[in-house]
Amino acid sequence: MIPRKHLPASSLLGPLLAAAALFPAFTQAAESGPDGSLFRSVFGDSLEKDHGIKVHGWAQAGWIYNDNGSDDVSKQAFFNNDEGFNLNQFALAIEKTPKGNVVGRVGPFPGPMPQEADWGFNVTALYGKDARFFKTYGFDEDFGVNRDADANDENFNIAQAYLDFYIPVLGGSNLMLGVFHTPLENEIGFALGSPAPTDFYSHTYSFMHGPAKHTGALYSFKLPQEEGGSMLGFELGVVQGWNNMQDPNGDPDVIANLRWRSADFRTWVDWENIYGNGAGDSFAECACGSPIPAGTEDQDLTRYASYLTVSHVLDERNRVAVEFNYGQQEDGAFAAFANKSNAHWYGTDVNWYHRLGDNLMWNSRAEWFYTDAPVHVVMANIDPQTGIPDPSWGSFYGFTTNLAWTPVPNVRLRPELRYDIHSGNGRDAFGDGREDSQLVGSFDITVFF
């Protein structure tokens, strides 16, 4: 879709900013929702109104700086590896969301169960530096992905491609089939079709250690209930491991999630789990597959990851969310550095979202993450000459705050500060292994169209 010899990143974002500021049709179309506003302003709203098909996109770019004198701003500022300007995402999505009272990866919604079945789909193409974190092994290389692209290069992939069905059984059911972003983790941000607008420019350690995508099936359902009561939903999935279409060990992973919603819909509880064989599914040569290497494809090495998130709306201006996470990998590749065979990682993060005004948010996050052995490929600095890793492990602390200003519905401007501390064994985690802390400043622009 976008050639490898691409335009400069700034030239891709500039026309969208100009359109938002100069063309009244674009701004007026955004008044009915920024997603799809550009398509509606050019082609009208008949496709969306008559057929339920939305064509929408987003562009996200940012500038980032750290204080440790290194061009490497650390992978803990995920997704950004490189100081300076980054084109993170330029994406286009075509989707139809089925009508129902259950949304896959989101959970049950209030109201009676619709009695008519419905169907939908989602195809999302993504270009930018973030694309390499959303590659699916055995899938994206067939759609133009440069497997040898440097970590600081823009890239292209098909981020999602799935069918979506609503079925009027139990209290309402949803079935997703294809390649879709994970239903795990508090920060994934892809569940409702718009991956760019997460609440923070950087991401948590728990998010970095989890899967991004799956290929397979995910069945979500709502238990029958009395009207006006709390809601309970479940998700069951069978997928080809973490970020894989071709799982090399041949063993599917199982997803099992529980989602509870209070009667007033202000309190959400999500317990999300994935279990399977993690052997041989990490591929350094293409920076795809799982980020947690272990063994070879002919082995059986158990991997389990779990996330418990509690979110509550305090009032019309304040919401809090607390995530607890835990993971383990049998015979993790780098565990021997800590004199262990099995690797474990766990932690928590607390998020506070405060609305200062109609178009201004103040978001803050504190996190603690611990690993008793290096488990993530990014946490091990591999010497390119010798191939010998020099990993970090122990406790990681992160503190992040930002202001998110939306001057018009389809443009968000966001300055952010993040401070990280590493306390533990192995090499220092920041500044190319020379620093045990870092301060990261960033400013990003997201345009929804």
Side-chain angles (χ1 to χ4, degrees):
M1 187 177 77
I2 299 175
R4 185 78 183 96
K5 297 294 185 182
H6 52 271
L7 293 171
S10 57
S11 67
L12 292 171
L13 189 62
L16 291 173
L17 288 171
L22 299 177
F23 292 98
F26 188 21
T27 303
Q28 291 169 4
E31 291 176 358
S32 59
D35 286 346
S37 56
L38 181 60
F39 186 87
R40 290 193 298 269
S41 69
V42 175
F43 298 102
D45 61 0
S46 60
L47 185 65
E48 189 170 337
K49 183 184 295 183
D50 298 339
H51 304 285
I53 298 175
K54 178 184 288 188
V55 181
H56 65 105
W58 55 90
Q60 183 184 40
W63 177 87
I64 193 165
Y65 163 83
N66 74 358
D67 69 337
N68 60 29
S70 169
D71 288 339
D72 179 6
V73 297
S74 141
K75 292 78 180 173
Q76 285 71 42
F78 200 73
F79 297 134
N80 298 283
N81 293 333
D82 196 23
E83 252 192 333
F85 181 86
N86 293 276
L87 173 63
N88 298 103
Q89 299 185 13
F90 188 91
L92 181 67
I94 304 174
E95 66 174 324
K96 177 181 181 293
T97 302
K99 298 176 182 178
N101 63 341
V102 176
V103 176
R105 301 175 294 178
V106 180
F109 281 76
M113 179 179 70
Q115 295 302 311
E116 293 186 4
D118 198 8
W119 72 281
F121 61 89
N122 183 302
V123 178
T124 302
L126 180 66
Y127 178 80
K129 290 188 177 180
D130 290 1
R132 75 186 192 97
F133 296 103
F134 294 106
K135 287 193 287 187
T136 303
Y137 179 73
F139 175 69
D140 285 317
E141 60 265 34
D142 296 328
F143 292 92
V145 166
N146 178 8
R147 294 170 63 99
D148 300 319
D150 183 82
N152 296 322
D153 285 347
E154 288 85 10
N155 214 324
F156 168 75
N157 73 7
I158 304 297
Q160 300 193 106
Y162 62 85
L163 295 172
D164 200 5
F165 300 93
Y166 168 75
I167 310 164
V169 297
L170 297 175
S173 298
N174 177 276
L175 176 64
M176 299 175 63
L177 299 171
V179 180
F180 48 84
H181 284 277
T182 185
L184 313 173
E185 309 156 22
N186 179 43
E187 284 201 349
I188 187 65
F190 282 80
L192 291 175
S194 297
T198 52
D199 295 298
F200 297 92
Y201 190 46
S202 64
H203 294 272
T204 61
Y205 292 92
S206 67
F207 179 71
M208 185 176 72
H209 282 71
K213 296 170 66 174
H214 305 289
T215 304
L218 184 71
Y219 175 57
S220 309
F221 63 94
K222 178 182 179 181
L223 288 183
Q225 61 162 108
E226 294 183 4
E227 276 300 311
S230 61
M231 292 146 277
L232 187 62
F234 293 89
E235 288 179 348
L236 299 172
V238 179
V239 298
Q240 290 282 73
W242 294 30
N243 315 317
N244 289 322
M245 176 172 275
Q246 301 171 351
D247 194 342
N249 58 51
D251 295 333
D253 284 24
V254 176
I255 293 174
N257 301 334
L258 179 151
R259 306 194 186 279
W260 180 86
R261 308 291 182 253
S262 64
D264 60 7
F265 217 54
R266 292 175 60 181
T267 304
W268 293 26
V269 178
D270 297 274
W271 184 33
E272 303 159 336
N273 304 270
I274 184 168
Y275 177 87
N277 180 7
D281 67 349
S282 183
F283 307 95
E285 70 275 8
C286 64
C288 57
S290 164
I292 300 175
T296 59
E297 59 187 53
D298 57 349
Q299 293 180 279
D300 188 356
L301 302 175
T302 298
R303 179 187 295 150
Y304 170 66
S306 179
Y307 303 83
L308 174 64
T309 303
V310 180
S311 174
H312 180 66
V313 177
L314 299 173
D315 54 43
E316 62 180 8
R317 290 186 177 272
N318 295 280
R319 182 173 72 90
V320 295
V322 181
E323 180 192 61
F324 304 91
N325 60 86
Y326 172 83
Q328 65 178 35
Q329 172 63 63
E330 183 181 2
D331 200 16
F334 302 132
F337 285 86
N339 297 315
K340 295 179 178 294
S341 57
N342 298 335
H344 304 82
W345 60 97
Y346 45 87
T348 186
D349 52 86
V350 181
N351 305 264
W352 175 52
Y353 314 97
H354 176 63
R355 182 169 295 282
L356 294 169
D358 291 341
N359 59 358
L360 185 63
M361 290 290 298
W362 178 20
N363 304 309
S364 297
R365 177 182 63 206
E367 57 182 301
W368 165 71
F369 185 85
Y370 178 81
T371 173
D372 64 3
V375 291
H376 194 294
V377 290
V378 169
M379 305 294 282
N381 186 30
I382 309 296
D383 188 310
Q385 301 299 322
T386 65
I388 299 174
D390 185 12
S392 303
W393 65 97
S395 286
F396 296 82
Y397 305 89
F399 306 92
T400 308
T401 191
N402 67 41
L403 288 172
W405 179 42
T406 316
V408 294
N410 49 291
V411 177
R412 184 189 61 193
L413 310 175
R414 184 173 55 185
E416 181 170 296
L417 282 175
R418 176 186 178 110
Y419 185 64
D420 288 284
I421 302 171
H422 170 231
S423 175
N425 299 312
R427 70 181 178 102
D428 289 329
F430 311 112
D432 297 324
R434 296 177 286 102
E435 304 288 343
D436 60 5
S437 66
Q438 72 169 2
L439 177 66
V440 175
S442 63
F443 181 84
D444 71 288
I445 302 171
T446 305
V447 178
F448 308 92
F449 57 90

